Each structure stands twice: as C-alpha cells, then as structure tokens.
Amino acid sequence: MSVLIFVAKLIAGGALLCLGVLLALLYEGVDRIISARMQRRFGPPLLQPFYDVLKLLGKESIVPRRAVAWAFNGAPWMALVTALMVFLYIPMGALPPILGSEGDLILITYLLALSAVALVVGGFASGSPYANVGSQREMVLMMSYELPLALVVSTMAWLVYRRGIPGPAFSLETFSSLSLWNTVGWVGALGLLSLLLALLAVVPAEVGKVPMDIAEAKTEILEGLISEYSGRNLALLKLTYSVRTLALCAVVVALFFPWSLGKAMGLSGVGLFVIDFVWFWIKTFVVQTVGVTTVRTAFGRFKIWQAARFYWIQVGGLALAGMLLLTLEVAIY
Amino acid sequence: MAVGEAKTYKIPIGPVHVGLKEPITTWLEVDGERIVDIKVRPGAIHRGIEFMARERNPIQVIYLAERICGICSFAHIESFVRAVEDAASISVPKRAQYIRTIMLELERVHSHILWAGVACYTFGYDSAFNLGLLLREKVMDVLEAVSGNRVNYGVGTIGGVRRDITPEAAAALEDMLSYYRREFAAFYEVATEDPITKARMRHVGTLPPEDAVRYCAVGPTARASGLRVDLRWSSPYEAYADIEVTPIVPQDYMGEVYGDVFDRFLVRVLEVYQSLDIIEKALSGLPEGPLMAEPKLPKLLALLKAADGVGWSSIEAPRGDDAHIVKLTKGDENVTWWKVRAPTYANIVSWPIMFRGQEIADAPLIVNSIDPCISCMERALVIDKRSGSSEVLTKEELLKRSREKTRRLMGR
C-alpha cells in the first residue's frame, strides 16, 4: 500500500513539476505581453520564453577560464531544483500538496532562499567582476528582505495557532483549509492587509524583477549574477527565474487567498478538484500581474542601499504593524 | 594585505556595454560599490574622417561631416558649412538662415528626447524609456516631412540650404508644436516629479560650477552646473540674432543648483520647450527669398577653389559647443585641413569629477549624463598601452598604416 502511494506521489510530483515549468514560461510570456501593452508596445509572441529556453538549450555552454567549474555548472541545477521543489509543498485549490506531511511554510522560505544562494554561489564561482558585484548585491538584498518575510510568515502561523484552526500552525494546508480573513475583525483585517502588502513588496526582490533586479541590473553590471552564463546553464537560470516567480505567487495565493470557487458553486468530488485547481492558477495569475508585472512596469531600478533601506524600514515597519494589529485583534476578541 | 586596508578592484564599463550607446572603455576602480577612481580609454571607434576629407572638395565633405554623428548630424553640417563660408566669405540668404535655425532646433528636440529616454533606460525605467521613444517619433516624422530623411537630413549646403520649408512642411511643424505642448507634459512629469527619477538622479554625478569652469564643460552639462553658457545667446548666429534665446539654468526654475544628473535632465527637458518656442518664432517670421547664395554648383566650386584662408565656426549643438576649423588653399580643390572638436570632447574630461565617490550603479547614468557621442569625439589619437604615451597621427603615418592593413588583409 505504501509502495503504491509512493509511486502515485512520484507520478503526480513529476506531472506537477512539468506543469509548473510550462505554466511558469507561459505566465512569463503573458507577463511580457501585458507589460508591453502597458508601455504602448506590441510585445513579443506569447511563446517567446519557450523559444528562448529551447534555443539556449541547443547552444554551447561556455565555462570561463577563471571559473570554478563544478560550482559554476552545478549552481543553475541547484537553483532550478530548489525553486521547483516549492511546488510540491503548495496545496493547489482543493488538492492536497504532494509532500504536505513532510514540509511546511518554513521549508518553503528556505527553499526559495536556497535557490537564491545557489545563484550567488554560481555568480561567485564564475570569477567575473560583474558577477562578483551581482552576487554581493544579491546577498545584501537577501539579508534585507528576509526580515519582513520571516515576520509575515511567523505572524501568520501564530494567528493560525491562536485562532485554534485545526492542523499544524506552519503547514500550508492549514492556511488553505480556512480563509484567515473570515476569522478576524476589522482590526485583524487591517493587520492581514499590511502583512499581504509586505509580502507583495518582497515578491519583486525574491524573483529578481524591476525595481529589485539590482543583482541582475542589465544596464549597470551586465546581468550581474548570470553575466558569464551561456547555453544550457543560462536556459536553466531563465527557467529558475520564471519558476521562482510562479512559485512565490502561488505561495501568496495559498497563504492569503484560499477561497474556493468549487465550494461556492456547491460542487463536490472531481468537479470540485478540477475547478479549484484551475481557479488556483487564475488567482496566481492575478497575483503575478499585480505584484510583478504592474510593479516592474511602473518602477525604475533602485540602488542597493535604497532597496536595503526600503526593506528594513518601510516594509519591515509594515510587517511589524501587521503583527501588532493582529496581536491587538487576538487580545480584543 | 594589512587588516583594515581597503582593497580595490577594477571593473570595466565598456567598450561594449548595454548602458552605453557607443563604444568607450571606462575602467572603474571600486571599493565595494563605491568608485574610487576612473580611467577613460577611448580609441575603439576612430574612423579617420578628417583624413578622408583631405581628398574631397568642400561640397563632398558636407556628406562626410553629416556622418560624423547620426543624432547631431545637422549640427555638424551647420558648423562645417559656416566654417567654409567664413573661409570663402560667402553670405547666406535670410530665408536659408531661418530654415537652418528650424532644422537645428528640430534636431535639438529629437536629441534631447532621445537622451532623456535612454537615461531612464539606464536605470531600468523602461516605461519612461518607451514613452520617450514614442514622443520622439513625432519630431522624426516632421524631420522627414521637412527634409525627406529621418536620419542624416541632407539639408545644409555651403551658402544656404537645399530644401525649402513648403506649406505642407510648415503645417507639419505647426502640428508638431501643438502635439508637444500637449503630450510632452507627461514626460516632463516623469522627469521632474517622479520619486524614482529623483531617487536615482539627485546627488549623482555632481559637477560643481567651479569645476565646470575649470574643465571647460559646455552645453547642457555646463548649464546644469549653473553656468550661463549658450552660444545662441552669447554669440548669436543664423536667426538667433532675431530670436531672443536665454540660457536655461536650473536655479531659474528650481531655485537652487546641484549640478547633478537630475539638473542635466531638467535642463534638457526644459530646452525642449525652449526649442518649440524658437521653432514657432522662426516659422512665423520666415522671410521670403532665395535658398542659396550660389545655386550653380560649378560656380560655387570655382569660388571655393579660389578661396584662401582658415575659417572657424562654433555653434551650439544639442550637446554643446561644436567647433569646426577648415583651411582652404587657393588653387587646391580639396579641403586642405579640417578639425572637428565635438562637444563630448569638452565634457568628457569632467568625468573623473563626476565619478569619484559615486556607486557602480550610477556609472552608466553618469556616463550618459553628458550625452556622450563617442564617434563625434574620437579623432586621430593613438595611445600606446605599454608606455601610456600618446601621439597624433600624421597624414603619412595614417596612409602607411592603412596600406599595411590592406596588405595584411589581402594576405600579401
């Protein structure tokens, strides 16, 4: 029996990862088109990210003479695999996560951080001054956004615990079983809103998009971290960025918008699973459009110290305010 | 290395870099993110145009002068033909002077909007970049309506202009004026009120007025440092004698002057409005009359062949003072000697002042802030990398090297 479950999980996981890659590239194509329309441009074809990745996969992968080859070649795999693994822990609509019992929200934040660390390692290993500057910037950026991220995650878990929602406090399944918005009054709603905004502010830095693409900064340090990569390695890195974008948006949806469409329509069984699964990706798309596409179109790039100050003071303050408001909420009711 | 001793390393910006428009290498010595020192090493795009000119007659050189730069091509023609007119004592008809003025100002509008867009692009503000390119499209259309070309207009010639402003072109110009008065406000807002632009441009690449004087900055770069430097105002040429032009300096508009990239941005954006006013005035006061002092080409060439002397001209190109010196010798059909000093050459020497103490993230923005035109600037200067010495190439030496290269390429 357990072997059967293991095999089923293996198949489902593989299918999910393939779907994740395809959806990530597809959403990136849509993101580029929407961004282009916002700038009154026509934009690339929808499948352009697929073309890019396929083209790069067929090209020669050059390792610089001064690079540490194993770290240089290993880092893209590490970054992609860790980013992809996030999908295995996210409950999608009514479907339980494939590795739900083995991991929780803390693991997800670590996986995302590990993927960024892998990029940094690859950057340092490439031995280029641009990549070196990019890696340093990425590290500073990580140090800046981890604090608000940790605040948001721990506050949410604490709220789940205090509200007595069944299930482990840090597990994503617990969050998706019941919308937190329904369990709080207006003070708590305000607190949740500020947590949501803080998390959305972290998204661009986590996925390396304008205004927080400081580590890549095309016009400043020639793509920084990834400036020495080419061919297959670059394809993997491109995939990593798309997958991280999608994964993080999915996490935001699972945390804050677990509303089920299927239940509202009174469905059950397979219909509920299918409808909620599609509904989940639609919600993810909306979050990505608001949190990534719009933001990256509306802003220019920050400097590294501006970004660090933004995350420590403004976003950190917002997360802290959310935490205090939720504490107040729990104390009142 | 002792503990606490700062370790610096070098980063090259260029010769091929996404943030630059043209090839030039700037070696940045950085300590972490901070720039300690900068070395500029041009020499990637020298084309030997001045040398080529010595085997052509002045009329043919006009087309060479036009191709020094694609963006201020009319400014280079204008300066060159004024230098030749100065050498050969040719006076230009009034109508041609006005048309030249209109062309110069159209080019300024085009150059400034393009620069402003590219400046936004260098700090990742793609929306403003695209808005800039969208707005620039109108003036390109008008340039096409007036001259027939979008780039390298072919309007200027010695003793006048080759294209008249027809009623249709005048209508297109009027249309353009109202278009920019209406639409350019959006970009003006992006440039001046947007917090992102301000955060990235304020206190970046500062050039104090005293340094601007010391390093002879010209054009918008000097004006952004608060100097009232404008050749249209200080030594009016063409129709500027009839049209009042006052130099735009930031202290008149913002109350204070920093001399940073933001001020340069502001000066350029305000100059677009100024250019619109000048075009409107020149268009309304466009006098009737001939277009050329000497329409017959053989007669003009004979006149130039008989001319003897050195002519000099300095005009206010979009980027600043563009000086041409031409020597014509009696009996020699060709231009005996021609020297171009593009505005970038004057502005580039103040880069070290702007760079020191800034961050790597600012480097492309500072490089772009003087609107460098490297292909305008690069003249025959060879720097020996090993000894660091430089020499100016003579005609014989250039010829010798060119022949050697040809032989090498042909495998002989």
Side-chain angles (χ1 to χ4, degrees):
Chain A
M1 188 63 194
S2 66
V3 174
L4 262 181
I5 290 179
F6 179 73
V7 170
K9 273 191 175 178
L10 213 58
I11 292 169
L16 189 63
L17 294 191
C18 291
L19 182 76
V21 168
L22 292 182
L23 266 180
L25 289 177
L26 190 69
Y27 277 19
E28 163 133 24
V30 180
D31 161 271
R32 289 178 68 174
I33 289 180
I34 292 179
S35 173
R37 294 293 150 85
M38 284 173 175
Q39 294 168 347
R40 293 202 243 169
R41 284 189 293 123
F42 192 73
L46 179 64
L47 298 182
Q48 189 62 46
F50 289 92
Y51 301 148
D52 288 350
V53 167
L54 287 179
K55 181 196 76 178
L56 285 171
L57 279 175
K59 288 210 164 192
E60 186 192 5
S61 199
I62 300 165
V63 180
R65 204 188 312 146
R66 286 163 64 191
V68 185
W70 65 269
F72 183 78
N73 286 322
W77 286 107
M78 186 75 183
L80 180 60
V81 167
T82 43
L84 268 176
M85 273 176 73
V86 175
F87 284 118
L88 300 178
Y89 299 98
I90 303 172
M92 289 159 190
L95 286 172
I98 289 168
L99 294 178
S101 50
E102 283 90 358
D104 54 18
L105 199 47
I106 294 181
L107 182 67
I108 287 177
T109 56
Y110 269 101
L111 281 176
L112 286 169
L114 194 58
S115 148
V117 168
L119 289 175
V120 170
V121 168
F124 275 131
S126 65
S128 139
Y130 295 117
N132 203 327
V133 174
S135 300
Q136 288 172 8
R137 288 183 178 184
E138 178 74 37
M139 286 197 323
V140 173
L141 201 60
M142 271 169 70
M143 282 185 248
S144 328
Y145 69 69
E146 287 297 334
L147 172 82
L149 193 61
L151 269 178
V152 170
V153 167
S154 49
T155 310
M156 298 283 288
W158 180 79
L159 185 71
V160 166
Y161 172 67
R162 287 304 296 263
R163 277 277 167 262
I165 295 169
F170 273 107
S171 173
L172 261 181
E173 267 190 294
T174 318
F175 286 102
S176 61
S177 65
L178 184 66
S179 172
L180 275 175
W181 300 90
N182 299 340
T183 67
V184 292
W186 67 269
V187 180
L190 218 59
L192 274 179
L193 189 68
S194 44
L195 286 187
L196 173 64
L197 288 178
L199 190 57
L200 280 181
V202 171
V203 168
E206 188 86 72
V207 304
K209 287 270 167 66
V210 174
M212 297 301 170
D213 66 334
I214 308 166
E216 288 87 38
K218 186 170 76 180
T219 45
E220 288 163 13
I221 47 171
L222 302 175
E223 303 277 8
L225 281 176
I226 58 175
S227 70
E228 291 293 337
Y229 280 103
S230 54
R232 193 194 62 224
N233 284 337
L234 186 58
L236 291 179
L237 287 175
K238 290 227 177 259
L239 268 180
T240 306
Y241 281 113
S242 313
V243 166
R244 277 175 76 181
T245 313
L246 188 68
L248 199 64
C249 292
V251 171
V252 172
V253 169
L255 273 180
F256 283 97
F257 310 110
W259 308 313
S260 162
L261 185 69
K263 274 181 195 156
M265 285 160 70
L267 292 174
S268 64
V270 180
L272 174 71
F273 284 117
V274 171
I275 288 284
D276 265 8
F277 189 69
V278 174
W279 176 234
F280 178 81
W281 289 116
I282 292 172
K283 284 187 288 189
T284 311
F285 173 72
V286 172
V287 167
Q288 186 176 339
T289 308
V290 173
V292 177
T293 314
T294 317
V295 171
R296 90 179 173 92
T297 310
F299 282 84
R301 188 184 305 118
F302 283 157
K303 281 194 272 195
I304 185 67
W305 60 268
Q306 288 169 339
R309 203 170 62 179
F310 176 68
Y311 279 123
W312 276 91
I313 296 176
Q314 275 98 329
V315 181
L318 201 62
L320 212 60
M323 190 170 137
L324 290 175
L325 282 170
L326 284 173
T327 319
L328 196 67
E329 158 83 20
V330 171
I332 294 170
Y333 307 103
Chain B
M1 195 181 72
V3 175
E5 190 185 317
K7 187 181 187 306
T8 61
Y9 56 100
K10 279 187 172 177
I11 287 189
I13 302 279
V16 180
H17 190 283
V18 207
L20 309 180
K21 286 185 285 185
E22 284 185 273
I24 186 165
T25 318
T26 47
W27 281 94
L28 304 181
E29 200 173 336
V30 293
D31 170 19
E33 279 271 330
R34 204 147 287 277
I35 296 168
V36 181
D37 205 354
I38 164 185
K39 272 203 183 79
V40 182
R41 205 182 280 287
I45 199 175
H46 173 65
R47 295 172 294 168
I49 283 184
E50 283 157 338
F51 175 68
M52 284 155 77
R54 292 179 201 174
E55 291 172 8
R56 286 162 166 78
N57 69 38
I59 297 286
Q60 290 166 328
V61 173
I62 293 174
Y63 301 98
L64 269 183
E66 185 158 44
R67 278 151 185 80
I68 287 178
C69 176
I71 295 171
C72 40
S73 69
F74 191 80
H76 277 290
I77 289 196
E78 165 75 9
S79 198
F80 174 75
V81 299
R82 271 175 56 78
V84 173
E85 282 154 12
D86 186 19
S89 316
I90 299 170
S91 62
V92 182
K94 200 85 177 159
R95 187 174 175 88
Q97 287 189 359
Y98 270 71
I99 293 174
R100 280 182 182 184
T101 308
I102 290 173
M103 285 303 290
L104 278 171
E105 293 306 320
L106 281 176
E107 198 170 73
R108 193 184 312 278
V109 170
H110 147 51
S111 173
H112 282 353
I113 296 178
L114 177 66
W115 176 83
V118 171
C120 289
Y121 172 71
T122 56
F123 62 93
Y125 201 171
D126 284 358
S127 298
F129 168 65
N130 285 311
L131 179 61
L133 285 201
L134 183 78
L135 289 173
R136 169 172 165 266
E137 209 51 32
K138 187 75 182 176
V139 71
M140 300 297 280
D141 289 346
V142 170
L143 279 168
E144 193 181 0
V146 173
S147 70
N149 299 312
R150 282 164 66 89
V151 187
N152 290 353
Y153 321 106
V155 169
T157 187
I158 294 164
V161 287
R162 292 172 65 235
R163 294 267 188 282
D164 195 6
I165 290 195
T166 54
E168 297 89 65
L173 275 165
E174 294 282 357
D175 181 40
M176 182 200 86
L177 291 176
S178 61
Y179 173 83
Y180 277 121
R181 296 229 162 92
R182 196 173 62 243
E183 302 285 329
F184 197 64
F187 201 81
Y188 179 77
E189 247 172 58
V190 166
T192 56
E193 285 163 32
D194 199 313
I196 308 268
T197 345
K198 227 166 193 167
R200 283 305 300 264
M201 288 185 171
R202 227 353 146 206
H203 305 299
V204 166
T206 310
L207 182 69
E210 54 270 25
D211 283 323
V213 172
R214 192 181 302 146
Y215 291 98
C216 305
V218 294
T221 313
R223 288 197 282 280
S225 291
L227 308 182
R228 282 176 207 278
V229 179
D230 196 330
L231 288 169
R232 295 173 293 171
W233 167 72
S234 54
S235 57
Y237 49 94
E238 309 297 358
Y240 294 116
D242 306 337
I243 300 165
E244 191 71 20
V245 182
T246 46
I248 287 177
V249 281
Q251 61 260 40
D252 292 355
Y253 294 85
M254 303 294 274
E256 54 200 338
V257 52
Y258 294 91
D260 52 11
V261 179
F262 187 82
D263 275 348
R264 274 164 233 153
F265 204 116
L266 183 77
V267 164
R268 282 198 172 85
V269 166
L270 289 170
E271 276 185 15
V272 170
Y273 285 112
Q274 187 191 34
S275 289
L276 297 181
D277 290 343
I278 295 173
I279 292 171
E280 189 172 32
K281 277 180 198 156
L283 201 59
S284 63
L286 196 65
E288 291 300 319
L291 289 177
M292 286 189 216
E294 182 49 71
K296 289 201 175 64
L297 201 57
K299 269 176 122 178
L300 181 64
L301 279 174
L303 193 71
L304 291 169
K305 196 174 173 183
D308 191 70
V310 176
W312 171 83
S313 149
S314 184
I315 64 146
E316 184 78 15
R319 292 151 171 157
D321 180 356
D322 182 19
H324 283 232
I325 305 167
V326 177
K327 188 179 180 192
L328 300 177
T329 318
K330 189 167 183 169
D332 186 2
E333 212 177 314
N334 299 338
V335 172
T336 318
W337 193 78
W338 176 35
K339 171 78 191 133
V340 180
R341 205 226 44 182
T344 308
Y345 193 78
N347 284 332
I348 214 163
V349 287
S350 45
W351 267 359
I353 300 291
M354 298 180 193
F355 265 101
R356 273 182 205 126
Q358 303 296 327
E359 288 160 63
I360 300 173
D362 301 326
L365 193 55
I366 300 174
V367 166
N368 273 341
S369 75
I370 66 163
D371 199 359
C373 181
I374 309 303
S375 57
C376 295
M377 183 202 75
E378 291 211 347
R379 308 267 69 95
L381 182 75
V382 167
I383 298 168
D384 190 340
K385 264 189 165 174
R386 276 153 299 182
S387 64
S389 68
S390 61
E391 52 170 333
V392 176
L393 288 183
T394 57
K395 179 179 174 182
E396 287 76 26
E397 177 70 8
L398 256 178
L399 202 60
K400 199 179 111 224
R401 289 188 183 200
S402 139
R403 280 175 187 156
E404 274 169 7
K405 189 180 177 190
T406 315
R407 290 208 181 99
R408 203 170 64 238
L409 288 177
M410 294 177 72
R412 264 183 252 161

